Amino acid sequence: MLEMTRESFEELVSQALDRIPPELTRVMDNVAVFVEDEPPADDPELLGLYEGTPLTDRGEWYAGVLPDRISIYMGPTLRHCETAEDVVHEVAVTVIHEVAHHFGIDDKRLHELGWG
């Protein structure tokens, strides 16, 4: 397994978030991004997870709710990658993939766009 400090991994997540165009980050709403060591036990190879209500599904009822949550999982990402460059790429893809879910884009469309 490739080794990397948590601090370095978190920096890669931050850099990936910085790659999102400002016109999109301005409309991101009520979402928090976390780095976690491992995913839920029932999906040990999961690289990232979006939990919440996509912007496209929010209506007048959407108020006073906890933030959506994007989790990026360090363990499976490092196990999946062979080089540090692979980690940079995989983190960027995973972050963009999960942020896209916040915008209401489903897995099928993400795969079509090359972000699957």
Side-chain angles (χ1 to χ4, degrees):
M1 180 170 105
L2 191 64
E3 292 191 25
M4 178 178 285
T5 66
R6 182 167 183 114
E7 181 178 280
S8 295
F9 191 86
E10 288 174 351
E11 180 60 28
L12 292 179
V13 171
S14 179
Q15 290 170 6
L17 288 166
D18 288 344
R19 292 180 58 187
I20 299 170
E23 56 271 16
L24 293 178
T25 57
R26 279 194 294 271
V27 296
M28 289 176 67
D29 182 49
N30 201 30
V31 61
V33 179
F34 298 91
V35 170
E36 304 287 346
D37 291 331
E38 295 293 335
D42 64 337
D43 199 353
E45 295 307 311
L46 188 65
L47 303 182
L49 180 65
Y50 169 76
E51 300 170 286
T53 303
L55 294 174
T56 53
D57 293 345
R58 296 179 185 180
E60 292 178 17
W61 59 269
Y62 188 84
V65 299
L66 291 173
D68 292 2
R69 181 181 180 96
I70 292 174
S71 299
I72 308 299
Y73 300 111
M74 186 173 161
T77 302
L78 295 179
R79 289 190 295 274
H80 177 77
C81 296
E82 294 181 16
T83 67
E85 293 79 20
D86 291 343
V87 176
V88 171
H89 174 76
E90 196 60 55
V91 166
V93 168
T94 303
V95 167
I96 291 169
H97 181 103
E98 301 310 331
V99 167
H101 286 318
H102 176 68
F103 284 99
I105 302 171
D106 65 18
D107 281 330
K108 180 181 178 202
R109 182 66 179 139
L110 284 167
H111 283 275
E112 291 169 358
L113 294 170
W115 294 102

